[in-house]
């Protein structure tokens, strides 16, 4: 290992000295192992996508699947806010952290990547073996016929149905953005006036292709994720507070099978008690350090 001081100068922040000590401990656990990586919203904050629950994030209750299905008014609100949020999310670029994760994979150090993010920034950065546990923001699905459509194509339809909507919403001011493309805006009347699009094939209800609160993660994704953990010598969790069971269960699974669980996250997580080592630090710079320092297998 070459040591931190020998790294070439880069514009991003570097780990602080005490963080470096913990990173070296993590290095000791992961070196010589193929490990599974689980990422969450904390990885994308450096790309300008706010976290749900990170420090400074306002508490927010996302719409549940039952609310979405239960009332046309809820769906109107949801799609209006999603249309604004989507226009922001699609402009986001992967950051240093995503690039480091892709590098870990290309160097053969990962059994796979499980992400709770729907923003597709891992794929944009070059990660290949990825489970999008909670779905993807760039697709929509018809709840009746299960056809999937590109969100970009739907954007054209929504813009035709709602001329001037995006411009007015952005002019009114976006109050808050969330990582699932939900956006809170000032102008409630504008939200109420939104016209929703239906499935062009069957007229069914369209839903963004991600897993809502109150909805189960599809079985094949869960099984692929468990397989990544089973194949691995350790589990690294980066940028997730593990608040929801859909992610926490993989940390529990690894711990139950005697595999080290390493957590890198700003702030507390629900998996801290399972962690062999926990680093409370910036995710991008920590992952970059590991991608630079871990030896090839
Ligand atoms: Zn349909």
């Amino acid at each position: 290992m070459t040591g931190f001081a020998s790294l070439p100068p880069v514009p991003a922040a570097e780990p602080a000295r005490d963080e470096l000590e913990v990173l070296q401990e993590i290095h000791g656990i992961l070196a010589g192992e193929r490990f599974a990586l689980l990422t969450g919203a904390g990885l994308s904050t450096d790309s300008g996508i706010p976290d749900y629950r990170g420090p400074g994030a306002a508490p927010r209750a996302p719409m549940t699947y039952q609310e979405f299905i239960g009332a046309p008014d809820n769906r109107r609100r949801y799609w209006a806010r999603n249309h604004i949020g989507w226009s922001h999310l699609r402009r986001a670029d992967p950051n240093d952290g995503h690039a480091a994760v892709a590098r870990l994979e290309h160097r053969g150090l990962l059994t796979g990547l499980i992400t709770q993010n729907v923003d597709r920034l891992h794929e944009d950065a070059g990660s290949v073996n990825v489970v999008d546990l909670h779905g993807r923001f760039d697709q929509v699905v018809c709840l009746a016929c299960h056809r999937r459509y590109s969100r970009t194509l739907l954007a054209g339809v929504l813009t035709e149905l709602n001329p001037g909507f995006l411009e007015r919403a952005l002019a009114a001011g976006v109050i808050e953005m969330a990582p699932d493309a939900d956006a809170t805006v000032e102008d409630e009347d504008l939200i109420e006036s939104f016209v929703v699009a239906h499935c062009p094939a069957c007229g069914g209800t369209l839903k963004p292709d991600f897993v809502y609160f109150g909805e189960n993660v599809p079985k094949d994704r869960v099984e692929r994720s468990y397989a990544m953990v089973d194949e691995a010598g350790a589990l690294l969790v980066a940028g997730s507070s593990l608040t929801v069971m859909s992610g926490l269960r993989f940390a529990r699974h690894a711990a139950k099978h005697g595999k080290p669980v390493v957590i890198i996250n700003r702030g507390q997580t629900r998996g801290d008690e399972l962690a062999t080592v926990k680093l409370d630090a910036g995710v991008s710079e920590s992952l970059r350090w590991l991608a630079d320092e871990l030896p090839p297998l």
Side-chain angles (χ1 to χ4, degrees):
M1 164 172 160
T2 55
F4 174 63
S6 67
L7 289 178
V10 279
E14 302 292 356
R17 192 168 292 277
D18 51 341
E19 290 171 1
L20 189 60
E21 270 171 35
V22 185
L23 270 174
Q24 273 157 349
E25 197 182 332
I26 292 172
H27 184 279
I29 291 169
L30 298 180
E33 297 281 4
R34 288 176 78 223
F35 53 95
L37 177 54
L38 169 66
T39 66
L43 216 97
S44 293
T45 49
D46 285 350
S47 292
I49 302 168
D51 198 341
Y52 287 109
R53 300 176 185 88
R60 171 180 163 277
M63 190 176 289
T64 64
Y65 182 72
Q66 289 72 19
E67 286 167 338
F68 183 83
I69 296 305
D73 277 355
N74 286 346
R75 288 197 289 280
R76 182 197 321 282
R77 287 186 66 76
Y78 190 94
W79 273 113
R81 292 162 60 129
N82 173 276
H83 196 44
I84 300 160
W86 174 84
S87 75
H88 175 80
L89 211 56
R90 75 184 172 129
R91 286 194 299 266
D93 290 317
N95 62 52
D96 264 12
H98 298 106
V101 169
R103 217 144 38 91
L104 287 168
E105 181 183 4
H106 298 159
R107 294 183 60 216
L109 302 183
L110 300 185
T111 60
L113 169 61
I114 308 159
T115 187
Q116 298 173 303
N117 300 339
V118 299
D119 55 37
R120 298 284 288 175
L121 292 179
H122 281 301
E123 286 88 347
D124 288 351
S127 286
V128 179
N129 189 18
V130 187
V131 175
D132 291 309
L133 197 62
H134 293 168
R136 42 193 288 185
F137 88 107
D138 60 345
Q139 284 186 354
V140 295
V141 60
C142 170
L143 294 179
C145 72
H146 306 294
R147 282 183 177 84
R148 285 184 159 77
Y149 300 97
S150 138
R151 181 63 179 82
T152 307
L153 289 178
L154 179 71
V157 176
L158 289 175
T159 299
E160 240 173 72
L161 290 172
N162 300 277
F165 171 84
L166 264 187
E167 293 76 5
R168 280 161 62 201
L170 296 176
V174 175
I175 299 167
E176 193 201 343
M177 281 288 311
D180 61 355
D182 187 30
T184 314
V185 289
E186 195 80 65
D187 192 341
E188 280 293 321
D189 291 345
L190 187 62
I191 296 289
E192 300 304 327
S193 73
F194 196 75
V195 180
V196 169
H198 293 94
C199 174
C202 80
T205 295
L206 293 175
K207 171 180 157 298
D209 193 9
F210 37 75
V211 177
Y212 283 30
F213 283 78
E215 195 181 7
N216 289 325
V217 176
K219 210 173 157 212
D220 59 315
R221 287 182 215 163
V222 177
E223 282 169 0
R224 266 186 76 201
S225 303
Y226 274 126
M228 287 170 172
V229 178
D230 285 338
E231 248 184 89
L235 173 67
L236 172 61
V237 178
S240 172
S241 55
L242 296 175
T243 310
V244 287
M245 188 50 73
S246 65
L248 180 63
R249 61 183 151 187
F250 301 114
R252 287 191 173 160
H253 184 77
K256 196 176 120 194
H257 289 85
K259 298 180 186 198
V261 175
V262 173
I263 300 180
I264 303 173
N265 190 59
R266 278 236 188 269
Q268 265 197 329
T269 86
R270 221 176 134 197
D272 284 357
E273 61 188 30
L274 301 167
T276 315
V277 182
K278 160 78 188 292
L279 173 60
D280 199 318
V283 173
S284 296
E285 57 265 36
S286 303
L287 287 172
R288 204 190 55 208
W289 187 90
L290 287 171
D292 286 342
E293 298 294 331
L294 282 171
L297 287 176

